[in-house]
Amino acid sequence: MTDLERLWISCADALREQVSEATWRTWFAGLAPIDLDARTLVLAVPNPMTRDHLESRYLELMQRTVADTLGAPYDIVLEVQAVPPVAAPE
């Protein structure tokens, strides 16, 4: 497991505590981390509908939760990827 995946698990666990289980399964369970730099967290989403829904209803919650978990504010970018990316071997 990469550091990025570990960071995302921490953020995802904090998000999961703030939404219903049905909301989690429907909108958040399919997210996967792609990249993290000094200001931006990029997450893969399975389809455009999920991206649009998360951006319109949950982006602020996601940004607050990531900032609280990682200790600094981050922009969140949602990229549509049908299959979550496979981590490159280290």
Side-chain angles (χ1 to χ4, degrees):
M1 180 180 297
T2 67
D3 288 343
L4 175 58
E5 289 168 332
R6 278 190 278 283
L7 288 172
W8 173 243
I9 288 171
S10 295
C11 293
D13 287 346
L15 275 168
R16 192 172 190 163
E17 292 176 3
Q18 299 178 67
V19 297
S20 70
E21 189 62 25
T23 297
W24 174 260
R25 284 193 312 267
T26 302
W27 302 112
F28 293 95
L31 300 180
I34 298 173
D35 190 31
L36 177 71
D37 65 23
R39 297 189 54 209
T40 305
L41 172 61
V42 181
L43 299 171
V45 297
N47 56 59
M49 183 180 77
T50 299
R51 179 198 58 212
D52 295 347
H53 186 79
L54 289 171
E55 285 178 345
S56 67
R57 305 239 7 229
Y58 294 105
L59 191 58
E60 288 182 26
L61 172 65
M62 293 170 69
Q63 289 171 326
R64 278 195 314 271
T65 303
V66 168
D68 289 347
T69 303
L70 301 182
Y74 285 86
D75 293 327
I76 296 177
V77 175
L78 304 174
E79 287 187 8
V80 176
Q81 293 190 1
V83 178
V86 176
E90 293 181 355

